[in-house]
Short mmCIF file of all heavy atoms in Angstrom, two decimals:
data_model
loop_
_atom_site.label_atom_id
_atom_site.label_comp_id
_atom_site.label_asym_id
_atom_site.label_seq_id
_atom_site.Cartn_x
_atom_site.Cartn_y
_atom_site.Cartn_z
N MET L 1 80.39 122.84 133.08
CA MET L 1 81.35 121.82 133.45
C MET L 1 82.69 122.15 132.80
O MET L 1 82.77 122.33 131.59
CB MET L 1 80.86 120.46 132.97
CG MET L 1 81.75 119.32 133.36
SD MET L 1 80.91 117.77 133.15
CE MET L 1 81.85 117.07 131.83
N SER L 2 83.71 122.22 133.58
CA SER L 2 85.04 122.56 133.09
C SER L 2 85.76 121.31 132.58
O SER L 2 85.74 120.26 133.21
CB SER L 2 85.85 123.20 134.22
OG SER L 2 87.15 123.43 133.78
N LEU L 3 86.40 121.46 131.44
CA LEU L 3 87.16 120.35 130.86
C LEU L 3 88.66 120.61 130.91
O LEU L 3 89.42 120.03 130.16
CB LEU L 3 86.72 120.11 129.43
CG LEU L 3 85.25 119.76 129.23
CD1 LEU L 3 84.94 119.62 127.75
CD2 LEU L 3 84.90 118.48 129.96
N GLU L 4 89.07 121.47 131.84
CA GLU L 4 90.48 121.83 131.94
C GLU L 4 91.35 120.66 132.33
O GLU L 4 92.53 120.64 132.00
CB GLU L 4 90.65 122.96 132.95
CG GLU L 4 90.03 124.25 132.49
CD GLU L 4 90.10 125.33 133.55
OE1 GLU L 4 90.75 125.12 134.58
OE2 GLU L 4 89.50 126.39 133.33
N TRP L 5 90.80 119.66 132.99
CA TRP L 5 91.58 118.50 133.42
C TRP L 5 91.94 117.59 132.24
O TRP L 5 92.85 116.78 132.33
CB TRP L 5 90.82 117.69 134.47
CG TRP L 5 89.49 117.19 133.97
CD1 TRP L 5 88.30 117.85 134.01
CD2 TRP L 5 89.22 115.95 133.32
NE1 TRP L 5 87.31 117.11 133.45
CE2 TRP L 5 87.84 115.91 133.02
CE3 TRP L 5 89.99 114.85 132.98
CZ2 TRP L 5 87.24 114.85 132.38
CZ3 TRP L 5 89.38 113.78 132.35
CH2 TRP L 5 88.03 113.78 132.07
N MET L 6 91.25 117.80 131.12
CA MET L 6 91.52 116.98 129.93
C MET L 6 92.65 117.60 129.13
O MET L 6 92.49 118.66 128.55
CB MET L 6 90.27 116.85 129.06
CG MET L 6 89.14 116.12 129.69
SD MET L 6 87.63 116.15 128.70
CE MET L 6 88.15 115.36 127.21
N THR L 7 93.79 116.95 129.08
CA THR L 7 94.89 117.46 128.28
C THR L 7 94.63 117.18 126.81
O THR L 7 93.82 116.33 126.45
CB THR L 7 96.22 116.80 128.69
OG1 THR L 7 96.15 115.40 128.40
CG2 THR L 7 96.51 117.02 130.17
N LYS L 8 95.34 117.89 125.94
CA LYS L 8 95.18 117.68 124.51
C LYS L 8 95.55 116.25 124.13
O LYS L 8 94.88 115.62 123.32
CB LYS L 8 96.04 118.67 123.73
CG LYS L 8 95.90 118.52 122.23
CD LYS L 8 96.72 119.55 121.51
CE LYS L 8 96.65 119.49 120.02
NZ LYS L 8 96.12 118.36 119.36
N GLU L 9 96.62 115.71 124.72
CA GLU L 9 97.03 114.35 124.41
C GLU L 9 95.96 113.35 124.83
O GLU L 9 95.69 112.38 124.12
CB GLU L 9 98.35 114.01 125.11
CG GLU L 9 99.54 114.79 124.59
CD GLU L 9 99.65 116.18 125.19
OE1 GLU L 9 99.03 116.45 126.24
OE2 GLU L 9 100.34 117.02 124.58
N TRP L 10 95.33 113.59 125.98
CA TRP L 10 94.29 112.69 126.47
C TRP L 10 93.08 112.72 125.53
O TRP L 10 92.54 111.67 125.17
CB TRP L 10 93.88 113.09 127.88
CG TRP L 10 92.99 112.11 128.54
CD1 TRP L 10 93.38 111.03 129.27
CD2 TRP L 10 91.55 112.11 128.56
NE1 TRP L 10 92.26 110.35 129.73
CE2 TRP L 10 91.13 110.99 129.30
CE3 TRP L 10 90.59 112.94 128.00
CZ2 TRP L 10 89.80 110.70 129.50
CZ3 TRP L 10 89.26 112.64 128.21
CH2 TRP L 10 88.87 111.53 128.95
N ARG L 11 92.68 113.92 125.12
CA ARG L 11 91.55 114.05 124.19
C ARG L 11 91.86 113.39 122.85
O ARG L 11 91.02 112.69 122.29
CB ARG L 11 91.18 115.52 123.97
CG ARG L 11 90.44 116.14 125.12
CD ARG L 11 89.88 117.50 124.74
NE ARG L 11 90.87 118.39 124.14
CZ ARG L 11 91.55 119.32 124.77
NH1 ARG L 11 91.34 119.52 126.05
NH2 ARG L 11 92.42 120.08 124.15
N ASP L 12 93.07 113.60 122.33
CA ASP L 12 93.46 112.98 121.06
C ASP L 12 93.43 111.46 121.16
O ASP L 12 92.99 110.77 120.25
CB ASP L 12 94.84 113.45 120.62
CG ASP L 12 94.84 114.87 120.10
OD1 ASP L 12 93.75 115.40 119.80
OD2 ASP L 12 95.93 115.45 120.00
N SER L 13 93.91 110.93 122.28
CA SER L 13 93.90 109.48 122.49
C SER L 13 92.48 108.96 122.57
O SER L 13 92.16 107.90 122.01
CB SER L 13 94.65 109.11 123.77
OG SER L 13 96.00 109.39 123.66
N LEU L 14 91.61 109.69 123.25
CA LEU L 14 90.21 109.28 123.38
C LEU L 14 89.51 109.28 122.01
O LEU L 14 88.85 108.31 121.65
CB LEU L 14 89.47 110.20 124.34
CG LEU L 14 87.96 109.94 124.50
CD1 LEU L 14 87.72 108.56 125.08
CD2 LEU L 14 87.34 111.02 125.36
N VAL L 15 89.69 110.36 121.26
CA VAL L 15 89.06 110.45 119.94
C VAL L 15 89.59 109.35 119.03
O VAL L 15 88.82 108.70 118.32
CB VAL L 15 89.29 111.85 119.32
CG1 VAL L 15 88.86 111.88 117.87
CG2 VAL L 15 88.55 112.90 120.12
N THR L 16 90.90 109.12 119.03
CA THR L 16 91.48 108.06 118.20
C THR L 16 90.92 106.70 118.58
O THR L 16 90.58 105.90 117.71
CB THR L 16 93.01 108.07 118.33
OG1 THR L 16 93.51 109.34 117.94
CG2 THR L 16 93.63 107.00 117.46
N MET L 17 90.81 106.43 119.88
CA MET L 17 90.27 105.15 120.32
C MET L 17 88.83 104.97 119.86
O MET L 17 88.46 103.93 119.32
CB MET L 17 90.35 105.02 121.84
CG MET L 17 89.79 103.70 122.36
SD MET L 17 89.63 103.62 124.14
CE MET L 17 88.27 104.74 124.43
N LEU L 18 88.01 105.99 120.06
CA LEU L 18 86.60 105.89 119.67
C LEU L 18 86.44 105.75 118.16
O LEU L 18 85.63 104.94 117.68
CB LEU L 18 85.82 107.10 120.18
CG LEU L 18 85.67 107.18 121.71
CD1 LEU L 18 85.01 108.49 122.10
CD2 LEU L 18 84.91 106.00 122.24
N LEU L 19 87.20 106.52 117.39
CA LEU L 19 87.14 106.40 115.94
C LEU L 19 87.60 105.02 115.48
O LEU L 19 87.02 104.43 114.56
CB LEU L 19 87.98 107.47 115.27
CG LEU L 19 87.42 108.88 115.27
CD1 LEU L 19 88.45 109.85 114.69
CD2 LEU L 19 86.12 108.94 114.50
N SER L 20 88.63 104.49 116.13
CA SER L 20 89.14 103.19 115.75
C SER L 20 88.13 102.09 116.02
O SER L 20 87.95 101.18 115.20
CB SER L 20 90.44 102.90 116.52
OG SER L 20 91.01 101.70 116.08
N ILE L 21 87.44 102.17 117.14
CA ILE L 21 86.47 101.14 117.50
C ILE L 21 85.21 101.27 116.64
O ILE L 21 84.71 100.27 116.12
CB ILE L 21 86.13 101.22 119.00
CG1 ILE L 21 87.35 100.80 119.82
CG2 ILE L 21 84.93 100.34 119.34
CD1 ILE L 21 87.21 101.07 121.30
N ILE L 22 84.71 102.49 116.48
CA ILE L 22 83.41 102.68 115.82
C ILE L 22 83.53 102.69 114.30
O ILE L 22 82.74 102.05 113.60
CB ILE L 22 82.76 103.98 116.33
CG1 ILE L 22 82.47 103.86 117.83
CG2 ILE L 22 81.48 104.28 115.57
CD1 ILE L 22 82.08 105.16 118.49
N LEU L 23 84.51 103.43 113.76
CA LEU L 23 84.61 103.60 112.31
C LEU L 23 85.93 103.07 111.74
O LEU L 23 86.32 103.43 110.64
CB LEU L 23 84.46 105.08 111.95
CG LEU L 23 83.13 105.71 112.33
CD1 LEU L 23 83.17 107.21 112.13
CD2 LEU L 23 82.00 105.09 111.51
N GLY L 24 86.60 102.23 112.49
CA GLY L 24 87.91 101.74 112.09
C GLY L 24 87.92 100.94 110.80
O GLY L 24 88.88 100.98 110.05
N GLN L 25 86.86 100.21 110.52
CA GLN L 25 86.84 99.41 109.30
C GLN L 25 86.78 100.28 108.05
O GLN L 25 87.10 99.82 106.97
CB GLN L 25 85.68 98.43 109.32
CG GLN L 25 85.96 97.26 110.25
CD GLN L 25 84.94 96.17 110.10
OE1 GLN L 25 83.76 96.43 110.15
NE2 GLN L 25 85.43 94.97 109.92
N LEU L 26 86.40 101.53 108.21
CA LEU L 26 86.37 102.46 107.09
C LEU L 26 87.67 103.27 106.99
O LEU L 26 87.81 104.10 106.10
CB LEU L 26 85.17 103.40 107.21
CG LEU L 26 83.81 102.74 107.25
CD1 LEU L 26 82.72 103.77 107.49
CD2 LEU L 26 83.55 101.98 105.96
N GLY L 27 88.58 103.08 107.92
CA GLY L 27 89.85 103.78 107.90
C GLY L 27 89.80 105.19 108.45
O GLY L 27 90.77 105.94 108.34
N ILE L 28 88.69 105.58 109.06
CA ILE L 28 88.52 106.95 109.55
C ILE L 28 89.57 107.29 110.60
O ILE L 28 90.07 108.42 110.65
CB ILE L 28 87.10 107.15 110.12
CG1 ILE L 28 86.04 106.81 109.07
CG2 ILE L 28 86.92 108.56 110.65
CD1 ILE L 28 86.10 107.61 107.81
N ASP L 29 89.95 106.32 111.43
CA ASP L 29 90.96 106.57 112.45
C ASP L 29 92.30 106.94 111.83
O ASP L 29 93.02 107.80 112.32
CB ASP L 29 91.10 105.38 113.39
CG ASP L 29 91.42 104.08 112.66
OD1 ASP L 29 90.99 103.90 111.51
OD2 ASP L 29 92.08 103.21 113.27
N ARG L 30 92.63 106.31 110.72
CA ARG L 30 93.89 106.62 110.02
C ARG L 30 93.84 108.00 109.37
O ARG L 30 94.82 108.75 109.39
CB ARG L 30 94.20 105.57 108.97
CG ARG L 30 94.49 104.20 109.55
CD ARG L 30 95.79 104.20 110.30
NE ARG L 30 96.05 102.87 110.84
CZ ARG L 30 97.26 102.43 111.11
NH1 ARG L 30 98.31 103.20 110.93
NH2 ARG L 30 97.41 101.23 111.61
N PHE L 31 92.70 108.35 108.80
CA PHE L 31 92.54 109.69 108.23
C PHE L 31 92.70 110.75 109.32
O PHE L 31 93.35 111.77 109.13
CB PHE L 31 91.18 109.85 107.55
CG PHE L 31 91.03 109.09 106.26
CD1 PHE L 31 90.11 108.07 106.14
CD2 PHE L 31 91.82 109.41 105.17
CE1 PHE L 31 89.97 107.38 104.96
CE2 PHE L 31 91.69 108.72 103.97
CZ PHE L 31 90.77 107.70 103.87
N TYR L 32 92.12 110.50 110.50
CA TYR L 32 92.19 111.44 111.62
C TYR L 32 93.64 111.66 112.06
O TYR L 32 94.03 112.76 112.41
CB TYR L 32 91.35 110.91 112.79
CG TYR L 32 91.44 111.76 114.03
CD1 TYR L 32 90.78 112.98 114.12
CD2 TYR L 32 92.20 111.36 115.13
CE1 TYR L 32 90.86 113.77 115.25
CE2 TYR L 32 92.29 112.14 116.26
CZ TYR L 32 91.62 113.34 116.32
OH TYR L 32 91.71 114.11 117.45
N ARG L 33 94.44 110.60 112.02
CA ARG L 33 95.84 110.71 112.44
C ARG L 33 96.74 111.22 111.33
O ARG L 33 97.94 111.33 111.51
CB ARG L 33 96.34 109.36 112.93
CG ARG L 33 95.67 108.94 114.21
CD ARG L 33 96.30 107.76 114.87
NE ARG L 33 96.43 106.63 113.98
CZ ARG L 33 96.40 105.37 114.37
NH1 ARG L 33 96.26 105.08 115.63
NH2 ARG L 33 96.53 104.40 113.50
N GLY L 34 96.17 111.53 110.15
CA GLY L 34 96.94 112.10 109.07
C GLY L 34 97.61 111.07 108.18
O GLY L 34 98.44 111.41 107.35
N GLN L 35 97.26 109.81 108.34
CA GLN L 35 97.83 108.73 107.53
C GLN L 35 96.86 108.41 106.39
O GLN L 35 96.18 107.39 106.39
CB GLN L 35 98.09 107.50 108.41
CG GLN L 35 99.05 107.80 109.54
CD GLN L 35 99.14 106.68 110.55
OE1 GLN L 35 98.20 105.91 110.73
NE2 GLN L 35 100.27 106.58 111.22
N ILE L 36 96.83 109.31 105.40
CA ILE L 36 95.84 109.24 104.32
C ILE L 36 95.99 107.95 103.50
O ILE L 36 95.00 107.28 103.21
CB ILE L 36 95.95 110.47 103.41
CG1 ILE L 36 95.86 111.77 104.22
CG2 ILE L 36 94.90 110.42 102.30
CD1 ILE L 36 94.61 111.92 105.03
N GLY L 37 97.20 107.60 103.14
CA GLY L 37 97.43 106.39 102.34
C GLY L 37 96.94 105.14 103.04
O GLY L 37 96.27 104.28 102.44
N LEU L 38 97.25 105.01 104.32
CA LEU L 38 96.79 103.85 105.08
C LEU L 38 95.28 103.89 105.27
O LEU L 38 94.62 102.84 105.29
CB LEU L 38 97.49 103.79 106.44
CG LEU L 38 98.96 103.41 106.39
CD1 LEU L 38 99.58 103.51 107.79
CD2 LEU L 38 99.17 102.04 105.81
N GLY L 39 94.73 105.09 105.39
CA GLY L 39 93.28 105.22 105.52
C GLY L 39 92.57 104.73 104.27
O GLY L 39 91.57 104.01 104.35
N ILE L 40 93.10 105.09 103.10
CA ILE L 40 92.50 104.64 101.84
C ILE L 40 92.63 103.13 101.71
O ILE L 40 91.68 102.44 101.33
CB ILE L 40 93.15 105.37 100.65
CG1 ILE L 40 92.77 106.84 100.67
CG2 ILE L 40 92.75 104.72 99.33
CD1 ILE L 40 93.53 107.69 99.68
N LEU L 41 93.81 102.60 102.02
CA LEU L 41 94.02 101.16 101.95
C LEU L 41 93.09 100.41 102.89
O LEU L 41 92.49 99.39 102.52
CB LEU L 41 95.48 100.83 102.26
CG LEU L 41 95.91 99.39 102.09
CD1 LEU L 41 95.71 98.94 100.65
CD2 LEU L 41 97.36 99.23 102.50
N LYS L 42 92.95 100.93 104.09
CA LYS L 42 92.06 100.30 105.07
C LYS L 42 90.60 100.38 104.62
O LYS L 42 89.84 99.44 104.80
CB LYS L 42 92.24 100.98 106.43
CG LYS L 42 91.76 100.19 107.60
CD LYS L 42 92.20 100.85 108.90
CE LYS L 42 91.62 100.16 110.08
NZ LYS L 42 91.95 100.84 111.34
N LEU L 43 90.24 101.48 103.99
CA LEU L 43 88.88 101.65 103.47
C LEU L 43 88.59 100.65 102.35
O LEU L 43 87.54 100.01 102.33
CB LEU L 43 88.69 103.08 102.95
CG LEU L 43 87.37 103.42 102.28
CD1 LEU L 43 86.22 103.30 103.28
CD2 LEU L 43 87.42 104.82 101.71
N LEU L 44 89.54 100.49 101.45
CA LEU L 44 89.35 99.59 100.30
C LEU L 44 89.35 98.11 100.69
O LEU L 44 88.77 97.29 99.98
CB LEU L 44 90.42 99.85 99.25
CG LEU L 44 90.36 101.22 98.56
CD1 LEU L 44 91.54 101.39 97.62
CD2 LEU L 44 89.04 101.41 97.84
N THR L 45 90.00 97.77 101.80
CA THR L 45 90.07 96.37 102.22
C THR L 45 89.12 96.06 103.38
O THR L 45 89.21 94.99 103.98
CB THR L 45 91.50 95.99 102.65
OG1 THR L 45 91.88 96.79 103.77
CG2 THR L 45 92.48 96.17 101.51
N ALA L 46 88.24 97.02 103.70
CA ALA L 46 87.29 96.86 104.82
C ALA L 46 88.03 96.52 106.10
O ALA L 46 87.70 95.58 106.82
CB ALA L 46 86.24 95.81 104.50
N GLY L 47 89.05 97.31 106.38
CA GLY L 47 89.80 97.11 107.61
C GLY L 47 90.64 95.85 107.58
O GLY L 47 90.88 95.22 108.60
N GLY L 48 91.12 95.49 106.38
CA GLY L 48 91.92 94.27 106.28
C GLY L 48 91.11 93.05 106.64
O GLY L 48 91.58 92.17 107.35
N ALA L 49 89.86 93.02 106.16
CA ALA L 49 88.90 91.94 106.45
C ALA L 49 88.64 91.82 107.95
O ALA L 49 88.36 90.75 108.47
CB ALA L 49 89.39 90.62 105.87
N GLY L 50 88.77 92.94 108.64
CA GLY L 50 88.46 92.96 110.07
C GLY L 50 89.67 92.73 110.96
O GLY L 50 89.65 93.11 112.13
N ILE L 51 90.72 92.14 110.42
CA ILE L 51 91.91 91.84 111.24
C ILE L 51 92.66 93.13 111.56
O ILE L 51 93.03 93.37 112.71
CB ILE L 51 92.82 90.83 110.52
CG1 ILE L 51 92.07 89.50 110.37
CG2 ILE L 51 94.13 90.64 111.27
CD1 ILE L 51 92.76 88.50 109.48
N TRP L 52 92.91 93.94 110.55
CA TRP L 52 93.61 95.21 110.73
C TRP L 52 92.82 96.11 111.67
O TRP L 52 93.36 96.78 112.54
CB TRP L 52 93.77 95.86 109.38
CG TRP L 52 94.70 97.04 109.29
CD1 TRP L 52 95.41 97.62 110.29
CD2 TRP L 52 95.00 97.77 108.12
NE1 TRP L 52 96.12 98.68 109.81
CE2 TRP L 52 95.90 98.78 108.48
CE3 TRP L 52 94.59 97.68 106.80
CZ2 TRP L 52 96.39 99.70 107.56
CZ3 TRP L 52 95.10 98.59 105.89
CH2 TRP L 52 95.99 99.58 106.27
N TRP L 53 91.50 96.12 111.50
CA TRP L 53 90.63 96.92 112.36
C TRP L 53 90.76 96.48 113.82
O TRP L 53 90.89 97.31 114.71
CB TRP L 53 89.17 96.78 111.92
CG TRP L 53 88.21 97.31 112.92
CD1 TRP L 53 87.89 98.60 113.16
CD2 TRP L 53 87.45 96.55 113.87
NE1 TRP L 53 86.98 98.70 114.18
CE2 TRP L 53 86.70 97.44 114.64
CE3 TRP L 53 87.34 95.19 114.12
CZ2 TRP L 53 85.86 97.02 115.64
CZ3 TRP L 53 86.50 94.77 115.13
CH2 TRP L 53 85.77 95.70 115.88
N LEU L 54 90.75 95.18 114.07
CA LEU L 54 90.84 94.66 115.43
C LEU L 54 92.17 95.04 116.07
O LEU L 54 92.22 95.49 117.22
CB LEU L 54 90.66 93.15 115.43
CG LEU L 54 90.71 92.46 116.78
CD1 LEU L 54 89.58 92.95 117.68
CD2 LEU L 54 90.63 90.95 116.60
N ILE L 55 93.25 94.89 115.32
CA ILE L 55 94.58 95.24 115.85
C ILE L 55 94.66 96.73 116.17
O ILE L 55 95.15 97.12 117.24
CB ILE L 55 95.68 94.82 114.86
CG1 ILE L 55 95.74 93.29 114.79
CG2 ILE L 55 97.03 95.40 115.25
CD1 ILE L 55 96.59 92.75 113.67
N ASP L 56 94.17 97.58 115.26
CA ASP L 56 94.17 99.02 115.51
C ASP L 56 93.32 99.39 116.71
O ASP L 56 93.69 100.27 117.50
CB ASP L 56 93.68 99.78 114.28
CG ASP L 56 94.77 100.05 113.26
OD1 ASP L 56 95.94 99.76 113.56
OD2 ASP L 56 94.44 100.54 112.17
N ALA L 57 92.17 98.75 116.87
CA ALA L 57 91.30 99.03 118.01
C ALA L 57 91.99 98.67 119.32
O ALA L 57 91.91 99.41 120.31
CB ALA L 57 89.98 98.29 117.87
N ILE L 58 92.68 97.55 119.34
CA ILE L 58 93.40 97.13 120.56
C ILE L 58 94.53 98.10 120.87
O ILE L 58 94.70 98.53 122.01
CB ILE L 58 93.93 95.69 120.40
CG1 ILE L 58 92.75 94.71 120.39
CG2 ILE L 58 94.91 95.34 121.52
CD1 ILE L 58 93.12 93.29 119.99
N ILE L 59 95.31 98.46 119.85
CA ILE L 59 96.42 99.40 120.06
C ILE L 59 95.91 100.75 120.55
O ILE L 59 96.48 101.34 121.48
CB ILE L 59 97.24 99.54 118.77
CG1 ILE L 59 98.01 98.25 118.49
CG2 ILE L 59 98.21 100.73 118.85
CD1 ILE L 59 98.69 98.20 117.15
N ALA L 60 94.83 101.26 119.95
CA ALA L 60 94.28 102.56 120.37
C ALA L 60 93.78 102.50 121.80
O ALA L 60 93.95 103.45 122.57
CB ALA L 60 93.15 102.96 119.43
N THR L 61 93.18 101.38 122.19
CA THR L 61 92.68 101.23 123.56
C THR L 61 93.83 101.19 124.56
O THR L 61 93.77 101.81 125.63
CB THR L 61 91.81 99.97 123.68
OG1 THR L 61 90.75 100.06 122.72
CG2 THR L 61 91.23 99.83 125.07
N VAL L 62 94.89 100.49 124.22
CA VAL L 62 96.06 100.41 125.11
C VAL L 62 96.71 101.77 125.24
O VAL L 62 97.07 102.20 126.36
CB VAL L 62 97.07 99.36 124.58
CG1 VAL L 62 98.39 99.46 125.30
CG2 VAL L 62 96.50 97.97 124.71
N ARG L 63 96.84 102.50 124.13
CA ARG L 63 97.43 103.85 124.19
C ARG L 63 96.58 104.79 125.02
O ARG L 63 97.10 105.62 125.77
CB ARG L 63 97.61 104.42 122.78
CG ARG L 63 98.76 103.81 122.04
CD ARG L 63 98.96 104.48 120.72
NE ARG L 63 100.05 103.83 120.01
CZ ARG L 63 100.19 103.84 118.70
NH1 ARG L 63 99.31 104.49 117.96
NH2 ARG L 63 101.19 103.22 118.13
N PHE L 64 95.27 104.68 124.90
CA PHE L 64 94.39 105.52 125.72
C PHE L 64 94.56 105.18 127.20
O PHE L 64 94.62 106.07 128.04
CB PHE L 64 92.91 105.33 125.31
CG PHE L 64 91.98 106.09 126.19
CD1 PHE L 64 91.92 107.47 126.13
CD2 PHE L 64 91.17 105.44 127.10
CE1 PHE L 64 91.07 108.18 126.95
CE2 PHE L 64 90.32 106.14 127.93
CZ PHE L 64 90.26 107.52 127.86
N GLY L 65 94.69 103.91 127.51
CA GLY L 65 94.91 103.51 128.90
C GLY L 65 96.20 104.06 129.45
O GLY L 65 96.28 104.49 130.60
N GLU L 66 97.25 104.07 128.62
CA GLU L 66 98.53 104.63 129.05
C GLU L 66 98.42 106.13 129.28
O GLU L 66 98.98 106.65 130.25
CB GLU L 66 99.61 104.32 128.01
CG GLU L 66 99.99 102.87 127.95
CD GLU L 66 100.92 102.54 126.79
OE1 GLU L 66 101.19 103.43 125.94
OE2 GLU L 66 101.38 101.39 126.72
N GLU L 67 97.72 106.83 128.41
CA GLU L 67 97.53 108.28 128.59
C GLU L 67 96.69 108.56 129.83
O GLU L 67 96.89 109.56 130.50
CB GLU L 67 96.83 108.89 127.36
CG GLU L 67 97.73 109.02 126.16
CD GLU L 67 98.83 110.03 126.35
OE1 GLU L 67 98.62 111.05 127.04
OE2 GLU L 67 99.94 109.78 125.83
N ASN L 68 95.75 107.70 130.11
CA ASN L 68 94.87 107.87 131.25
C ASN L 68 95.61 107.70 132.57
O ASN L 68 95.24 108.28 133.58
CB ASN L 68 93.69 106.90 131.16
CG ASN L 68 92.50 107.35 131.94
OD1 ASN L 68 92.38 108.51 132.29
ND2 ASN L 68 91.61 106.43 132.22
N ARG L 69 96.65 106.91 132.58
CA ARG L 69 97.44 106.67 133.80
C ARG L 69 98.37 107.82 134.13
O ARG L 69 98.85 107.92 135.24
CB ARG L 69 98.25 105.38 133.65
CG ARG L 69 97.42 104.17 133.85
CD ARG L 69 98.27 102.91 133.89
NE ARG L 69 97.55 101.89 133.15
CZ ARG L 69 97.95 101.33 132.04
NH1 ARG L 69 99.12 101.64 131.53
NH2 ARG L 69 97.23 100.44 131.43
N LYS L 70 98.68 108.67 133.15
CA LYS L 70 99.64 109.76 133.38
C LYS L 70 99.04 110.84 134.25
O LYS L 70 97.93 111.11 134.32
CB LYS L 70 100.09 110.35 132.05
CG LYS L 70 100.99 109.41 131.30
CD LYS L 70 101.45 110.07 130.02
CE LYS L 70 102.32 109.11 129.23
NZ LYS L 70 102.74 109.70 127.97
#
């Protein structure tokens, strides 16, 4: 199966969205994006008691949708 139709930006958006939804409370999505300080802060606060995690998950999903439309 060829994955040539998947652009790098689309794959990055997909991975970020999945990491944000699945492991976002641990800050893994922030570590993946290179935001180490925010990743540590998110890890220590359990995703900002879930609020920060929810906001990041929504933003990542919206960004993935925008990349998918291109």
Side-chain angles (χ1 to χ4, degrees):
M1 183 165 113
S2 176
L3 299 177
E4 293 175 7
W5 59 273
M6 295 174 61
T7 64
K8 181 178 180 345
E9 292 82 18
W10 189 88
R11 284 191 310 263
D12 286 344
S13 294
L14 176 64
V15 170
T16 302
M17 180 189 71
L18 292 174
L19 285 174
S20 186
I21 291 170
I22 297 168
L23 299 171
Q25 285 190 308
L26 301 175
I28 304 300
D29 56 328
R30 294 291 181 155
F31 289 116
Y32 176 75
R33 292 191 307 210
Q35 300 170 333
I36 306 302
L38 289 175
I40 292 170
L41 186 60
K42 199 171 174 184
L43 176 64
L44 294 176
T45 62
I51 296 170
W52 192 359
W53 167 78
L54 181 63
I55 292 169
D56 275 353
I58 291 169
I59 290 172
T61 304
V62 168
R63 285 185 182 156
F64 175 70
E66 290 172 354
E67 286 293 326
N68 203 19
R69 282 188 220 116
K70 289 182 182 178

